[in-house]
Amino acid sequence: MSRINLIIADDHELFRNGLTELLKKHDDINVIKSVADGKAFIEELKRTKDLDIVLLDITMPNMDGFEVLKEIQTLNAAVKPIIISMHDDGNYIAKCAKSGAYGYLLKNTDEDELVKVVRIVNGGKKYFSPTIAEKMINFMSDQKVSENILSQKEKEVLGLISEGFTTKDIATKLFVSTRTIETHRANILRKLEVKNTAELIKKATQINLI
Amino acid sequence: MSRINLIIADDHELFRNGLTELLKKHDDINVIKSVADGKAFIEELKRTKDLDIVLLDITMPNMDGFEVLKEIQTLNAAVKPIIISMHDDGNYIAKCAKSGAYGYLLKNTDEDELVKVVRIVNGGKKYFSPTIAEKMINFMSDQKVSENILSQKEKEVLGLISEGFTTKDIATKLFVSTRTIETHRANILRKLEVKNTAELIKKATQINLI
DNA sequence: GTAAATATCCGTATTTATACGGATATATAT
DNA sequence: ATATATATCCGTATAAATACGGATATTTAC
């Protein structure tokens, strides 16, 4: 039986090394390298034959996990990425799933779960735990609301409002009448269910619109 | 020579276990236990004699690192806490230093540094690396600005503005004339160097004023 | 292909916010 | 103890935002 060839990419050296020690205990898993950022990983990827799995952190310098996922797709590489993140934001999870991750684990996962997922993914199957999958679903429904509730133009206007431009400024900038911008503002206020600019900006920051 | 008795408190099981494996390699360090949250640690603390050091994460369920630091002080325990965090926010660092931490390490510290700090701290000395110390200093000066630039009253007014109350609303609520609130608003805008409410609320959220 | 949403336009009126400029009593800090 | 900052007050004026109500062409969705 051939062993599972694996690389760890995480900018936290203590975590990376600790994880290596943990995985060493499992005979069917072969940690061939660990790297501290996405760029270093991509270089390894190009150099290494028979790489099965990469355990990938999201937040890394140089090139973060999302970019690595994209690059893996671009290169059409055979490596199967498993995300190991400490964020259980549906946001992150959904983004990873869309970008081709084979699994998503939290850093508080236990060793058994980790090893289990490595084996499942190595077999070519994707694995997202029920809890993780749920977070993702919840996010996607919320997201739909906050991302799609405003039109492109409205989002643009909102952005300019948040930068301190007045209605007149914005109208000039966008080559339309102030009346148009006023209508946009009114619609934005209505859609976000707020009654004035102050509340609007607060809400918009809360739901990540600006 | 007696060994250094150490407990790890971190909610990320993979990190905790990996760290344990790493430290096992050093004969003078004795990892007597690892726990997943602050509360569990405090219980261990009460039970365990001759505990020298705790490696403490900030973000944990039940009782976070800050609370643990406070509790250690309250109990007047002899254990010397070293924070291992992934956040290099001056904010966090300053808070920990104030609360009696003996050291502050980032999770991307290397093994040598970790072991070095454990030994230094075990000798009774505090250790904050130059980089960490610098972040803390920078934060403390920034903090002074953003926390002290507005008066209590101005902060109160700002809070109400951000909730969508108008000048008139606020005047009524605070039993003063609208003119007073208008002056407050003008002063707030001037102090934060913004020109209208939209920009104000954005800036205020950015610098954590609301 | 029809319905719904969007982007754009217009008018009138009211309410709010901002910009000037100036004042006093109290608390805080050096 | 004197200077500085704060909280409070007032007037006048302009600029900006919000609230009504209504319209059309285009794009998007089902």
Side-chain angles (χ1 to χ4, degrees):
Chain A
M1 179 194 82
S2 77
R3 295 165 79 202
I4 303 171
N5 290 319
L6 182 150
I7 287 184
I8 299 169
D10 192 305
D11 61 325
H12 298 126
E13 179 157 348
L14 290 176
F15 181 74
R16 208 164 65 227
N17 294 350
L19 203 55
T20 307
E21 295 289 337
L22 281 187
L23 292 172
K24 263 189 193 165
K25 295 186 295 180
H26 300 270
D27 293 338
D28 59 334
I29 297 175
N30 179 29
V31 180
I32 55 184
K33 190 144 185 113
S34 82
V35 295
D37 65 81
K39 221 166 167 180
F41 168 69
I42 294 295
E43 278 163 33
E44 277 307 317
L45 174 64
K46 288 176 178 164
R47 184 177 316 143
T48 314
K49 300 282 161 227
D50 303 322
L51 177 59
D52 298 303
I53 287 179
V54 55
L55 298 182
L56 201 56
D57 191 20
I58 303 280
T59 51
M60 289 187 294
N62 289 326
M63 194 185 210
D64 69 26
F66 298 125
E67 294 174 279
V68 172
L69 287 176
K70 267 185 231 151
E71 186 66 14
I72 290 173
Q73 289 188 315
T74 309
L75 295 172
N76 214 353
V79 63
K80 293 179 271 298
I82 297 173
I83 304 298
I84 303 201
S85 162
M86 23 165 294
H87 301 107
D88 65 349
D89 291 46
N91 187 354
Y92 280 31
I93 303 169
K95 220 167 151 183
C96 290
K98 266 188 252 170
S99 305
Y102 272 68
Y104 192 108
L105 293 171
L106 295 179
K107 287 196 176 172
N108 62 9
T109 307
D110 63 41
E111 196 176 333
D112 290 345
E113 173 92 352
L114 169 65
V115 172
K116 186 181 82 179
V117 175
V118 167
R119 288 175 185 145
I120 291 175
V121 169
N122 188 57
K125 288 184 59 178
K126 296 193 177 186
Y127 181 83
F128 288 76
S129 78
T131 321
I132 292 293
E134 191 199 341
K135 299 259 179 196
M136 179 165 53
I137 308 295
N138 287 340
F139 165 77
M140 290 188 304
S141 42
D142 289 0
Q143 186 63 2
K144 205 160 209 151
V145 175
S146 69
E147 228 178 44
N148 297 339
I149 200 170
L150 296 187
S151 73
Q152 247 347 96
K153 187 57 74 172
E154 285 163 345
K155 282 185 216 168
E156 188 181 6
V157 171
L158 173 57
L160 293 169
I161 293 171
S162 79
E163 286 171 44
F165 293 106
T166 65
T167 294
K168 206 201 291 179
D169 295 339
I170 298 170
T172 306
K173 212 177 259 288
L174 302 185
F175 309 105
V176 297
S177 84
T178 62
R179 206 52 198 74
T180 302
I181 302 303
E182 282 165 26
T183 307
H184 285 317
R185 288 187 86 124
N187 290 335
I188 294 169
L189 291 181
R190 177 179 45 76
K191 287 183 179 180
L192 295 189
E193 295 171 302
V194 291
K195 63 177 192 299
N196 60 30
T197 304
E199 224 187 327
L200 167 65
I201 300 297
K202 196 184 174 198
K203 178 142 193 182
T205 56
Q206 281 168 353
I207 62 178
N208 272 322
L209 240 34
I210 51 178
Chain B
M1 181 193 83
S2 77
R3 293 165 81 202
I4 303 171
N5 290 318
L6 182 150
I7 288 184
I8 299 168
D10 192 306
D11 61 326
H12 298 126
E13 179 157 346
L14 289 177
F15 181 75
R16 208 164 65 227
N17 294 351
L19 204 57
T20 306
E21 296 288 339
L22 281 188
L23 291 171
K24 261 189 193 164
K25 296 186 295 182
H26 300 270
D27 293 339
D28 59 334
I29 298 173
N30 179 30
V31 181
I32 54 184
K33 189 144 185 116
S34 80
V35 295
D37 65 79
K39 221 166 166 179
F41 167 69
I42 294 295
E43 278 163 32
E44 277 307 318
L45 174 64
K46 286 176 179 164
R47 184 177 315 142
T48 313
K49 299 283 161 222
D50 304 321
L51 177 59
D52 299 303
I53 287 179
V54 56
L55 298 182
L56 201 55
D57 191 19
I58 303 280
T59 51
M60 291 187 293
N62 289 327
M63 194 186 209
D64 69 25
F66 299 125
E67 294 174 281
V68 171
L69 287 176
K70 266 186 232 150
E71 186 67 12
I72 289 173
Q73 290 188 316
T74 308
L75 295 172
N76 214 352
V79 64
K80 293 179 274 292
I82 297 172
I83 304 300
I84 304 203
S85 162
M86 23 164 294
H87 301 106
D88 64 350
D89 291 46
N91 188 354
Y92 280 33
I93 303 169
K95 221 166 150 184
C96 291
K98 266 189 252 169
S99 306
Y102 272 66
Y104 192 107
L105 294 170
L106 296 179
K107 286 193 177 172
N108 61 8
T109 306
D110 64 41
E111 197 176 333
D112 290 345
E113 173 92 352
L114 168 65
V115 172
K116 186 181 83 178
V117 175
V118 167
R119 288 174 185 149
I120 291 175
V121 169
N122 188 57
K125 287 183 62 176
K126 296 193 176 183
Y127 181 83
F128 289 76
S129 79
T131 321
I132 293 293
E134 191 198 340
K135 299 258 180 197
M136 178 165 58
I137 308 296
N138 287 340
F139 165 75
M140 290 188 302
S141 42
D142 289 1
Q143 184 65 0
K144 205 158 210 153
V145 175
S146 70
E147 229 178 42
N148 297 337
I149 201 170
L150 296 188
S151 73
Q152 245 349 94
K153 188 59 70 173
E154 285 163 346
K155 283 186 214 166
E156 189 181 7
V157 171
L158 172 57
L160 293 168
I161 293 171
S162 79
E163 285 170 44
F165 293 105
T166 65
T167 295
K168 206 203 287 179
D169 294 339
I170 298 170
T172 306
K173 211 176 258 287
L174 302 185
F175 308 107
V176 297
S177 84
T178 61
R179 207 51 197 74
T180 301
I181 302 303
E182 283 164 24
T183 307
H184 285 316
R185 289 186 86 125
N187 290 335
I188 294 169
L189 291 181
R190 178 179 46 77
K191 287 183 179 179
L192 294 189
E193 295 171 300
V194 292
K195 64 176 190 301
N196 59 30
T197 304
E199 224 188 325
L200 167 66
I201 300 297
K202 194 183 176 202
K203 176 140 194 182
T205 56
Q206 281 169 351
I207 62 178
N208 273 320
L209 241 33
I210 50 177

